[in-house]
Amino acid sequence: MKISLRVNGVLYEVDVEPRRLLVHVLRELGFTSVRVGCDTATCGACTVLMNGRPVKSCNVLTVQADGAEIFTIEHNDEVMARLKESFKRNHAAQCGYCTSGMLLTSYHLVKRGVKDEGEIVEGISGVLCRCTGYQNVVKAVKEAAGL
């Protein structure tokens, strides 16, 4: 089946089997920041933004994304650049496996105008991190959001 995706502003037309998962197609297109973690939509390492909302790409059939706008961490506007710098400054990443999912989820929170720490904690709860304990991630998002 032929579908089109716009990934980080670039249009891709791909032939996919209807049962093919978005995470695998994105990786084949070269977006290796999209991690394959649990394959059960539990860990959030595969999180991307699809039409502005965080989705776990291991739980999305590529045909469901036909015509969608997809952002990975390679998308680098002013908000993403601010988040990346804040993550670095606040030591919000350790092993790095969850970082892309954490950044994209945080990007969504900042773009929609996150109001407080509780909202940040709830928002990032869908991304499993075994290293940071989340405190520095919360600090980084608060800083990037101007809270």
Side-chain angles (χ1 to χ4, degrees):
M1 182 172 196
K2 191 163 199 86
I3 65 156
S4 62
L5 304 168
R6 187 168 298 279
V7 184
N8 301 325
V10 176
L11 183 64
Y12 292 88
E13 292 193 3
V14 293
D15 284 316
V16 295
E17 293 179 39
R19 62 187 169 96
R20 193 89 168 117
L21 294 173
L22 182 59
V23 66
H24 299 298
V25 171
L26 289 171
R27 290 183 61 80
E28 288 167 4
L29 290 172
F31 300 100
T32 56
S33 66
V34 183
R35 307 274 199 257
V36 178
C38 64
D39 273 334
T40 61
T42 302
C43 76
C46 66
T47 300
V48 297
L49 295 182
M50 187 165 96
N51 296 328
R53 297 187 56 201
V55 298
K56 294 177 182 177
S57 61
C58 75
N59 203 31
V60 175
L61 296 171
T62 306
V63 295
Q64 292 174 296
D66 188 19
E69 178 77 36
I70 307 290
F71 286 165
T72 68
I73 63 166
E74 289 86 4
H75 168 75
N76 208 20
D77 64 6
E78 185 266 327
V79 172
M80 183 60 81
R82 192 169 69 230
L83 270 165
K84 287 177 181 178
E85 184 55 40
S86 183
F87 265 56
K88 196 171 10 175
R89 192 175 22 263
N90 287 285
H91 307 286
Q94 289 183 17
C95 84
Y97 205 80
C98 72
T99 304
S100 59
M102 202 64 82
L103 275 167
L104 286 161
T105 301
S106 299
Y107 178 89
H108 173 70
L109 291 169
V110 171
K111 285 291 275 189
R112 78 161 207 242
V114 64
K115 304 269 188 282
D116 58 40
E117 186 171 313
E119 196 177 343
I120 295 168
V121 170
E122 182 180 334
I124 64 172
S125 67
V127 182
L128 177 63
C129 179
R130 292 183 170 103
C131 300
T132 66
Y134 299 95
Q135 294 90 349
N136 289 346
V137 174
V138 172
K139 278 179 20 183
V141 176
K142 284 174 68 174
E143 179 182 292
L147 299 178

